Amino acid sequence: MININIDKKTNFILFCIVFISVCLFLNYQTYFFLSPRGIHFIRQTDSLSFINYYCKTGFNFFNIGNLNLYNSTGKTACEFPLIYYIVALVTKTGIKSHLILKFIHILIFFHTTFFLLNFLKRTLSLINSYAIVFLVFSSTINLFYALNYIPNYIALCLTICALINFLSFLESNNPFEFKLSILFFLFASLLKVTFAIYPIGCL
C-alpha cells in the first residue's frame, strides 16, 4: 500500500476531523450529556460525590470524602484524587461537575488516540494506522467507558501512553522517554492499582 506523507500540522488537522467524525457517527454527543446509569451506577455516583465533597467542605486536597448518609463525617478512601480535585475547582465556575469530568475523559481519549496513531505511523502506512486506531477505539466498551465517571478508562489511556513511551525508549535509549513512561505508569497505577502490573512487566 502506498504511504501518504503529510506534515505535522496537516496530520493534526486530519486527525481532528476524523476523530470528531467518528465521535459524531458513534453518537458521542448524546452520551456526553447523560447522567450516571447502567452498570457501575453506584461507582459512577461515588466519583461525583467525591467532587461534591470537595466543593462543600473546602478544597483541602487530602481531605477526601463523599456524601454518605451512613457516615457523619463523610470521610473515606479513594484512588488518587487529582482528577476529582481539578473538576471540583472548575465546578466553581458554574459548570456541572459531570460535564467537566466527561470532558476530561474525552481530552485524555483524544490525546491517547493521537499518540497511538503517531506511534503506529512509524512502521505502518497512514491508512492502516487510522484503521487500527479507530477499530480499537470504536468498540462499544470504549464508547461506554470513555464517557463515564470512573477512573478505569483514564488509567487505561495513561497506560497506553506509558507503553508507547517505554517502547520508544527501547528504540532510542532516550532517558526522557523512560521518565515519561514512569510518570504515566505511576499516575495510572495511582488511579487503578491493578494497572501496576504493566510497569512491573516492563521493568
Side-chain angles (χ1 to χ4, degrees):
M1 183 177 291
I2 300 175
N3 198 5
I4 304 173
N5 294 317
I6 55 178
D7 59 71
K8 291 183 178 180
K9 182 179 179 180
T10 305
N11 178 51
F12 181 74
I13 294 174
L14 176 62
F15 174 78
C16 288
I17 294 172
V18 174
F19 182 87
I20 294 172
S21 300
V22 171
C23 287
L24 291 175
F25 177 77
L26 294 173
N27 211 22
Y28 270 47
Q29 68 278 12
T30 298
Y31 292 101
F32 182 81
F33 294 98
L34 292 179
S35 57
R37 64 190 61 225
I39 59 174
H40 309 308
F41 171 79
I42 295 176
R43 181 60 187 83
Q44 293 176 54
T45 55
D46 277 344
S47 292
L48 297 178
S49 190
F50 289 132
I51 296 167
N52 290 335
Y53 186 85
Y54 273 131
C55 295
K56 292 182 180 298
T57 62
F59 294 89
N60 182 352
F61 183 79
F62 295 102
N63 182 26
I64 304 167
N66 60 16
L67 306 179
N68 188 338
L69 297 178
Y70 294 99
N71 185 338
S72 59
T73 64
K75 290 186 179 297
T76 185
C78 73
E79 64 279 350
F80 189 60
L82 179 60
I83 300 295
Y84 301 143
Y85 190 77
I86 293 173
V87 174
L89 290 175
V90 179
T91 300
K92 294 177 66 177
T93 63
I95 306 174
K96 294 182 178 180
S97 58
H98 72 284
L99 296 180
I100 301 170
L101 189 57
K102 282 192 173 183
F103 183 71
I104 290 176
H105 277 227
I106 284 291
L107 281 180
I108 295 175
F109 172 36
F110 175 88
H111 172 269
T112 304
T113 310
F114 186 61
F115 202 32
L116 180 59
L117 174 71
N118 287 332
F119 179 73
L120 292 174
K121 281 171 55 184
R122 297 180 189 179
T123 53
L124 301 176
S125 68
L126 181 67
I127 295 176
N128 283 338
S129 300
Y130 268 101
I132 292 173
V133 167
F134 286 101
L135 178 64
V136 173
F137 284 104
S138 64
S139 71
T140 53
I141 293 177
N142 185 77
L143 173 62
F144 180 79
Y145 284 101
L147 292 174
N148 211 301
Y149 303 92
I150 57 180
N152 304 50
Y153 187 76
I154 296 179
L156 172 63
C157 288
L158 292 173
T159 299
I160 291 173
C161 292
L163 288 170
I164 291 173
N165 279 119
F166 185 77
L167 291 173
S168 298
F169 163 72
L170 293 180
E171 292 177 358
S172 64
N173 204 29
N174 184 347
F176 180 71
E177 296 280 3
F178 181 72
K179 292 176 182 177
L180 271 181
S181 70
I182 293 298
L183 182 63
F184 281 126
F185 276 137
L186 177 62
F187 194 17
S189 301
L190 286 172
L191 290 176
K192 192 69 178 177
V193 68
T194 51
F195 281 89
I197 191 66
Y198 291 95
I200 293 173
C202 287
L203 294 176

